[in-house]
């Protein structure tokens, strides 16, 4: 796989603090990385020359989603600044609350648990969306809109071979194995998943895993997938359900039989005052959200993480194939 070019001020730091975002400022963003022409998205007079900064987190799916927003708004005539690839959920969130990022796709479960501090998810995609939408607007003036069908929930995965050897198909069975034979349940967890309450600490509590016994290795998210498939460094691993490496490596997702993980549907997030000032932004982006399914997003991710293509190319080609834009 070829190395991917990382963009923006976040690319030059291992971590991104709010101070770094502030010091880089909006000028740290760039214009969209590739040219686009209108398709079904036509220039909108109300957006002509409007400066809009688009953000995303620093993993494949988020980069693609952020660039989809950027290309679409560029085709509509906005003056788009690309501030995708921000390191970590909290850094993107802080940048949005402070007005340094105008719009991004985020996850309803992340909003409910991480940003709003709730411990228990709301069952069901639509009820979870409505709960985070109402609470975040009331508490922070943030607007959630245009929820997509895609639900990129966290999961624990294993290889087909390990599933066959251990008989583990559910998280309850994984918990039993972790408590009785910790080495057989050695687990790689991504950095953020290792500390999030909707991540591994919560899994341990919900499923009654003995934290003193569990064999856990905290590694970069990109390492989890191949390590789990190889079953040498670890036999189980934390994954995102729409990652394209899951089908490519023949990984199996364990059933969350106690219903621990929240719904993680993506939705557009922006400050309410920005949305009120520029209502046509939702006119442009809502039809795009409607096409973002688990299947379509998994395939977009696969093109980057398995085929080694650039996120910008993948995002632009998808928009063009759907007729939203044309490629000059």
């Amino acid at each position: 796989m070829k190395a991917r070019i990382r963009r923006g001020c976040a690319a030059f730091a291992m971590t991104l603090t709010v101070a770094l975002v502030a010091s880089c400022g909006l000028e740290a963003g760039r214009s969209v990385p590739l040219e686009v022409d209108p398709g079904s998205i036509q220039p909108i007079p109300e957006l002509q020359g409007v400066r809009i900064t688009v953000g995303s987190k620093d993993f494949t799916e988020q980069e693609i989603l952020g660039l989809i927003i950027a290309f679409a708004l560029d085709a509509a005539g906005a003056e788009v600044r690309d501030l995708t690839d921000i390191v970590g959920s909290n850094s993107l969130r802080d940048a949005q609350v402070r007005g340094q990022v105008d719009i991004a796709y985020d996850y309803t479960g992340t909003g409910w648990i991480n940003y709003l501090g709730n411990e228990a998810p709301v069952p069901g995609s639509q009820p979870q969306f409505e709960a985070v939408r109402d609470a975040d607007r009331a508490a922070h003036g943030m607007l959630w809109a245009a929820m997509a069908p895609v639900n990129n929930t966290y999961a624990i995965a294993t290889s087909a071979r390990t599933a066959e050897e251990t008989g583990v198909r559910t998280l309850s069975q994984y918990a039993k194995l972790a408590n009785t034979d910790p080495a057989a349940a050695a687990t790689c967890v991504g950095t953020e998943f290792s500390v999030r309450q909707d991540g591994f600490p919560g899994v341990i509590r919900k499923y009654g895993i003995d934290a003193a016994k569990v064999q856990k290795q905290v590694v970069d998210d990109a390492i989890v997938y191949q390590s789990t498939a190889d079953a040498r460094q670890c036999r189980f691993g934390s994954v995102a359900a729409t990652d394209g490496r899951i089908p490519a490596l023949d990984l199996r997702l364990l059933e969350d039989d106690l219903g621990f993980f929240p719904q993680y549907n993506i939705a557009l997030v922006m400050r309410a005052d920005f949305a009120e000032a520029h209502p046509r932004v939702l006119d442009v982006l809502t039809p795009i959200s409607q096409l973002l399914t688990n299947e379509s997003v998994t395939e977009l991710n696969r093109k980057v993480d398995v085929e080694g293509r650039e996120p910008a190319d993948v995002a632009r080609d998808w928009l063009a194939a759907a007729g939203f834009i044309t490629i000059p």
Side-chain angles (χ1 to χ4, degrees):
M1 183 188 301
K2 66 179 180 179
R4 301 209 312 275
I5 300 171
R6 298 173 65 85
R7 301 170 305 282
C9 66
F12 301 100
M14 292 299 292
T15 59
L16 178 67
T17 63
V18 175
L20 179 57
V21 176
S23 65
C24 289
L26 298 184
E27 293 304 320
R30 301 180 183 179
S31 57
V32 292
L34 299 171
E35 293 184 6
V36 300
D37 283 338
S40 62
I41 298 173
Q42 289 290 305
I44 296 174
E46 294 92 333
L47 294 179
Q48 295 299 305
V50 173
R51 187 182 179 96
I52 300 176
T53 302
V54 177
S56 82
K57 305 171 195 182
D58 64 330
F59 56 90
T60 294
E61 179 170 301
Q62 274 282 297
E63 291 183 59
I64 294 170
L65 293 173
L67 289 164
I68 284 173
I69 296 173
F71 288 134
L73 293 178
D74 185 64
E79 183 183 336
V80 177
R81 305 297 292 175
D82 171 13
L83 201 61
T84 55
D85 201 22
I86 294 174
V87 179
S89 296
N90 290 335
S91 294
L92 173 62
R93 169 68 172 192
D94 288 342
Q96 285 205 269
V97 170
R98 291 169 178 259
Q100 295 157 323
V101 167
D102 294 314
I103 188 166
Y105 273 118
D106 214 327
Y107 303 91
T108 55
T110 301
W112 185 247
I113 303 294
N114 290 79
Y115 304 156
L116 294 171
N118 297 288
E119 294 185 1
V122 177
S125 290
Q126 188 64 29
Q128 179 67 92
F129 168 73
E130 292 172 358
V132 73
R133 177 198 63 192
D134 296 346
D136 207 14
R137 180 151 191 175
H140 304 112
M142 300 297 290
L143 178 73
W144 293 68
M147 183 184 75
V150 59
N151 175 22
N152 186 13
T153 186
Y154 277 127
I156 301 293
T158 192
S159 68
R161 182 180 64 187
T162 300
E164 184 66 26
E165 290 175 355
T166 62
V168 171
R169 303 289 191 276
T170 70
L171 284 178
S172 290
Q173 292 170 335
Y174 162 77
K176 182 178 179 180
L177 183 66
N179 286 333
T180 58
D181 188 358
T187 305
C188 287
V189 296
T191 306
E192 191 167 326
F193 185 82
S194 70
V195 297
R196 287 172 60 131
Q197 293 311 302
D198 55 345
F200 204 61
V203 171
I204 287 175
R205 287 195 305 273
K206 181 70 173 182
Y207 282 91
I209 298 171
D210 188 339
K213 290 182 178 179
V214 67
Q215 291 197 10
K216 175 188 73 174
Q217 295 187 58
V218 179
V219 298
D220 186 82
D221 288 292
I223 295 174
V224 172
Y225 295 83
Q226 190 64 57
S227 296
T228 303
D230 293 342
R232 290 194 294 267
Q233 183 176 356
C234 51
R235 307 188 80 195
F236 298 87
S238 63
V239 298
T242 56
D243 196 288
R245 288 165 290 191
I246 293 171
L249 294 171
D250 196 25
L251 297 177
R252 308 297 168 86
L253 302 183
L254 302 186
E255 178 189 350
D256 181 16
D257 51 310
L258 297 185
F260 166 72
F261 289 117
Q263 301 293 312
Y264 290 90
N265 293 87
I266 65 168
L268 294 168
V269 183
M270 63 200 92
R271 297 181 314 283
D273 59 351
F274 172 85
E276 290 162 2
H278 307 293
R280 298 302 304 276
V281 165
L282 282 177
D283 294 339
V284 173
L285 297 176
T286 296
I288 292 173
S289 287
Q290 293 168 350
L291 297 185
L292 294 172
T293 64
N294 274 42
E295 293 74 19
S296 64
V297 173
T298 298
E299 177 61 12
L300 292 173
N301 291 335
R302 188 193 66 80
K303 288 179 182 294
V304 175
D305 288 327
V306 178
E307 294 183 4
R309 296 185 60 198
E310 291 291 335
D313 293 324
V314 170
R316 187 175 70 159
D317 287 353
W318 182 81
L319 284 169
F324 291 114
I325 64 166
T326 57
I327 297 176

